[in-house]
């Protein structure tokens, strides 16, 4: 069993920043996310889009914001269970035990639900024999890209994920074929240009407009059948990866006895973003309260407030005072220390 101070569900911007705020107060964090990489909506839906309302960043790509957050929290050595959904919750005397869909058991003294829009589930193609091939060559997400080394891969989709993974896997796979039902891609222009270049150089195949009709094989994918310009095509492949986006689901949190209002967890915003269960907080897009703004900056603020409350709950005997990082510095759990050598502060009149 993994033990931690704050068990965070959701590695979106809110969950990641929670690690930093907790780290400043000396608390360790473990993060569970059903996606294969950190970043939540920023990484999964719009990594190449610029965001204009992050304070002090006039413009920053969503993917870069996540990379910066990962860099910022690195000294606090968070541990991760990625590609795993938090499914079961058990209340114990000194905290909460969460079990993931892959059977990993994690105990946290408090629970911070930063689950955004809920657990993202892949949108699946509507073809008959789909269940037979799941995890047998049919994948909806990529957790370990090394399994594609030297293999034939068909990627289906036209958004950022499909384009990004086609580019990435073309570096290691034997052959990548990208299929899309339209002739134009929805993903970033830069990625679409890279796809065109790889196609022109003969590195990848691109087939448009094409829709997936059938997957064939015995105990593993052998080939896929496509509808292409009113004719049928068969492509031999080891993997088929449909990347049609994700559908958010809130079912898990409803079962845990939390107060839910219109697909969001009700919290006490006049205090600390705590839920109706003592020791469980909900922060970021997942929560609701009067005046809630579903913005990244709201999640950052809520993470800071929540961590101070969690500290007092975990350490009732200790006094918690707010310290500026300009004065206290940042002392990472990895031994690193960042602190201004000489502090010059203009006097306030
Ligand atoms: C196209 C687009 C553009 C946007 N532009 C802006 C903008 O310009 N400015 C701005 O401030 N905001 C913007 N937003 C909103 C912003 O992305 C969200 O406010 C932000 O991502 C919320 O962060 P979060 O960490 O709370 O949740 P999320 O980013 O949604 O992350 C939640 C994570 O929790 C995980 N999760 C949920 N349930 C479980 C479970 N049971 N087990 C394991 N993992 C789970 C999910 O997989 C997900 O990774 C935009 C959103 C979109 C879609």
């Amino acid at each position: 069993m993994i033990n931690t101070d704050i068990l965070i569900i959701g590695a979106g911007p809110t969950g990641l920043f929670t690690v930093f705020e907790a780290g400043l107060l000396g608390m360790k964090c473990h993060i569970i996310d059903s996606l294969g990489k950190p970043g939540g909506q920023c990484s999964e839906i719009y990594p190449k889009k610029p965001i204009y309302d992050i304070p002090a960043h006039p413009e920053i790509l969503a993917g870069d914001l996540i990379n910066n957050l990962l860099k910022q929290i690195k000294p606090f050595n968070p541990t991760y269970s990625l590609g795993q959904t938090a499914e079961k919750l058990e209340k114990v005397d000194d905290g909460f035990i969460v079990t993931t869909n892959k059977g990993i058991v994690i105990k946290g003294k408090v629970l911070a639900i930063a689950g955004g829009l809920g657990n993202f589930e892949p949108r699946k193609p509507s073809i008959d024999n789909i269940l037979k091939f799941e995890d047998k060559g049919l994948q909806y997400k990529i957790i370990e890209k090394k399994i594609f080394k030297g293999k034939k891969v068909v990627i289906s989709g036209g958004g950022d994920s499909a384009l990004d993974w086609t580019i990435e896997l073309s570096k290691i796979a034997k052959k990548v074929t990208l299929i899309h039902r339209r002739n134009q891609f929805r993903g970033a222009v830069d990625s679409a240009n890279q796809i065109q270049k790889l196609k022109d150089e003969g590195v990848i195949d691109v087939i448009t407009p094409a829709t997936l009709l059938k997957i064939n094989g015995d105990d593993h994918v052998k080939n896929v059948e496509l509808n292409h310009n009113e004719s049928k095509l068969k492509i031999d492949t080891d993997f088929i990866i449909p990347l049609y986006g994700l559908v958010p689901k809130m079912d898990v949190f409803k079962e845990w006895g939390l107060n839910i209002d219109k697909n969001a967890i009700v919290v006490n915003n006049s205090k600390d973003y705590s839920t109706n269960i003592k020791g469980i907080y909900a922060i970021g897009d997942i929560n609701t309260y009067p005046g809630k703004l579903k913005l990244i900056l709201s999640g950052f603020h809520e993470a800071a407030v929540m961590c101070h409350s969690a500290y007092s709950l975990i350490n009732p005997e200790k006094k918690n005072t707010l310290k500026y990082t300009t004065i206290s510095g940042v002392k990472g759990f990895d031994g690193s220390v960042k602190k201004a050598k000489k502090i010059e502060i203009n006097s306030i009149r």
Side-chain angles (χ1 to χ4, degrees):
M1 182 160 70
I2 300 166
N3 276 288
T4 192
D5 293 320
I6 304 185
L7 174 51
I8 302 167
I9 297 175
T14 307
L16 295 179
F17 193 62
T18 305
V19 175
F20 182 77
E21 287 294 323
L24 290 180
L25 295 165
M27 296 182 287
K28 284 199 168 288
C29 297
H30 184 89
I31 313 187
I32 306 173
D33 202 299
S34 46
L35 299 175
K37 58 179 186 290
Q41 294 172 52
C42 292
S43 302
E44 200 59 34
I45 304 179
Y46 62 109
K48 302 272 166 64
K49 283 196 165 58
I51 309 177
Y52 301 100
D53 56 352
I54 303 297
H57 285 280
E59 180 179 340
I60 184 165
L61 293 182
D64 288 346
L65 177 79
I66 297 305
N67 288 338
N68 286 353
L69 281 167
L70 289 170
K71 196 172 160 198
Q72 192 174 20
I73 65 176
K74 201 162 178 266
F76 297 115
N77 286 336
T79 47
Y80 296 90
S81 294
L82 295 177
Q84 303 193 39
T85 302
E87 270 192 353
K88 280 192 217 133
L89 173 75
E90 190 193 338
K91 169 87 189 90
V92 287
D93 282 349
D94 51 348
F96 299 90
I97 296 178
V98 170
T99 308
T100 71
N101 61 333
K102 296 206 174 146
I104 300 293
V105 183
I106 308 128
K107 186 173 152 230
K109 291 175 186 162
V110 300
L111 194 59
I113 302 178
L117 304 171
N119 181 33
F120 287 119
E121 285 190 5
R123 192 171 278 123
K124 300 182 181 182
S126 48
I127 49 177
D128 285 346
N129 55 354
I130 199 126
L131 290 179
K132 177 178 165 192
F133 293 106
E134 284 183 357
D135 291 328
K136 290 174 185 145
L138 167 64
Q139 306 220 160
Y140 303 110
K141 58 182 153 194
I142 295 165
I143 295 169
E144 277 217 70
K145 62 178 183 185
K146 63 179 183 212
I147 63 166
F148 303 104
K149 196 167 176 216
K151 302 287 182 189
K152 285 176 274 180
V153 182
V154 174
I155 294 180
S156 179
D160 282 317
S161 291
L163 301 189
D164 290 351
W165 280 117
T166 300
I167 296 164
E168 200 54 33
L169 294 190
S170 72
K171 296 171 194 162
I172 54 166
K174 184 173 179 186
K175 186 83 197 174
V176 180
T177 306
L178 174 65
I179 65 167
H180 181 41
R181 66 196 158 109
R182 296 204 176 92
N183 285 324
Q184 284 81 30
F185 295 107
R186 274 180 295 110
V189 177
D190 180 48
S191 307
N193 290 341
Q194 278 191 65
I195 292 287
Q196 186 61 45
K197 189 164 173 273
L198 290 170
K199 183 191 169 194
D200 294 345
E201 290 167 349
V203 178
I204 60 166
D205 286 338
V206 178
I207 306 174
T208 64
T211 45
L212 193 60
L213 280 182
K214 208 168 171 217
I215 303 174
N216 298 310
D218 297 323
D219 54 355
H220 199 277
V221 172
K222 270 205 181 116
N223 61 58
V224 291
E225 289 179 39
L226 312 178
N227 220 346
H228 172 51
N229 286 336
E230 286 163 31
S231 59
K232 302 251 181 320
L233 267 187
K234 197 181 261 188
I235 306 174
D236 286 341
T237 189
D238 301 301
F239 289 95
I240 166 73
I241 312 173
L243 296 172
Y244 298 164
L246 300 158
V247 191
K249 297 248 158 119
M250 282 285 289
D251 307 1
V252 174
F253 305 126
K254 283 183 184 159
E255 286 163 16
W256 287 2
L258 295 160
N259 283 347
I260 307 276
D261 181 31
K262 296 193 193 90
N263 274 334
I265 302 172
V266 179
V267 291
N268 173 353
N269 75 309
S270 64
K271 199 174 167 221
D272 52 8
Y273 306 102
S274 50
T275 67
N276 57 310
I277 302 177
K278 193 174 180 199
I280 302 187
Y281 300 85
I283 48 176
D285 272 17
I286 194 101
N287 73 15
T288 182
Y289 52 82
K292 168 75 184 185
L293 294 176
K294 290 199 180 200
L295 287 173
I296 295 166
L297 63 84
S298 314
F300 288 166
H301 164 76
E302 291 163 15
V305 173
M306 174 251 130
C307 282
H308 280 265
S309 169
Y311 180 87
S312 301
L313 204 63
I314 294 173
N315 307 286
E317 75 292 350
K318 290 190 190 156
K319 194 167 173 265
N320 175 24
T321 46
L322 179 70
K323 291 186 188 111
Y324 294 138
T325 53
T326 38
I327 311 291
S328 64
V330 176
K331 296 183 191 84
F333 298 156
D334 63 355
S336 63
V337 179
K338 258 196 221 167
K339 196 170 179 187
K341 285 195 184 83
K342 189 178 163 209
I343 304 162
E344 283 168 17
I345 303 169
N346 293 335
S347 60
I348 302 165
R349 287 172 192 221

